[in-house]
Amino acid sequence: MTFLVLFAISCAVSLCIPNGELRVKQTEEVITQEDRKRLAESAIAEGKQFEWQGNAEAFRKALDRYEKALALLQSLNDRPGTAAALGHIGTVHHLLGEKQKALDAFQQQLQLWRAEKERRKEVAEALHNIGIVHSSMGMALKAIEFYEEALLLRRAAEDRAGLASTLDNLGLAYLHAGEMQKASDYSNQ
């Protein structure tokens, strides 16, 4: 029996030794956390490049990259990275007209940002994005709820650019809700 084992080992090794050179085939790569983080960052960057192309096919490719990044970031328990990836996913779903999927991604993002400390600006952005989706679905009153909450956080975070964007969208939402005076008040701030 020992002879058979030695013969099998000898045959296996000889199959791996073409021209007398031993080559070791690596069947499984070890991916470190650092590697996964870099792969996620690369996937996000590729996704952004596709997203900037601005057509449905490119949006689908962007979504694929963002979802790959999401899986990698989730495997690292990277909540801020996961939240950011969900934001990209929500944006692309919105651009593709997939409103419910966009809403789902932004709501997951919101939960993650709320679990983090000192993330007012990010929470406000997620709320703002949820407001945008509700507005695009013709739900002005629901959009107003999210914009109002985002507005408070943007003011507290002193996020001037975000504040301007939320004020504009809030004015438009009040306009669509038929509240002309409030629309004018928010648009003039």
Side-chain angles (χ1 to χ4, degrees), residues 122-143:
E122 291 85 354
V123 171
E125 186 65 22
L127 290 163
H128 179 93
N129 290 336
I130 292 169
I132 289 172
V133 176
H134 281 299
S135 186
S136 70
M137 295 170 80
M139 302 170 67
L141 295 177
K142 192 73 173 166

Side-chain angles (χ1 to χ4, degrees), residues 44 48 51 63 66 83-93 106 109:
I44 293 286
K48 286 179 180 180
E51 189 178 335
L63 189 59
Y66 293 149
L86 284 165
H88 293 300
I89 290 168
T91 297
V92 172
H93 279 304
F106 288 136
Q109 179 191 40

Side-chain angles (χ1 to χ4, degrees), residues 72-91:
L72 288 164
L73 293 162
Q74 287 173 326
S75 76
L76 294 167
N77 294 317
D78 180 347
R79 280 198 299 198
T82 298
L86 284 165
H88 293 300
I89 290 168
T91 297

Side-chain angles (χ1 to χ4, degrees), residues 61-74:
K61 289 178 182 177
L63 189 59
D64 176 65
R65 298 317 187 279
Y66 293 149
E67 287 172 345
K68 285 178 181 176
L70 176 66
L72 288 164
L73 293 162
Q74 287 173 326

Side-chain angles (χ1 to χ4, degrees), residues 97-154:
E98 299 169 347
K99 308 299 185 200
Q100 190 57 53
K101 287 181 179 180
L103 200 54
D104 292 344
F106 288 136
Q107 287 172 333
Q108 288 177 54
Q109 179 191 40
L110 177 62
Q111 289 175 353
L112 288 172
W113 284 133
R114 282 188 166 154
E116 295 289 307
K117 293 184 179 187
E118 299 302 317
R119 294 293 190 152
R120 283 188 222 146
K121 187 175 179 180
E122 291 85 354
V123 171
E125 186 65 22
L127 290 163
H128 179 93
N129 290 336
I130 292 169
I132 289 172
V133 176
H134 281 299
S135 186
S136 70
M137 295 170 80
M139 302 170 67
L141 295 177
K142 192 73 173 166
I144 289 168
E145 288 177 36
F146 286 95
Y147 289 142
E148 291 279 3
E149 191 175 346
L151 189 64
L152 294 172
L153 290 170
R154 290 202 193 272

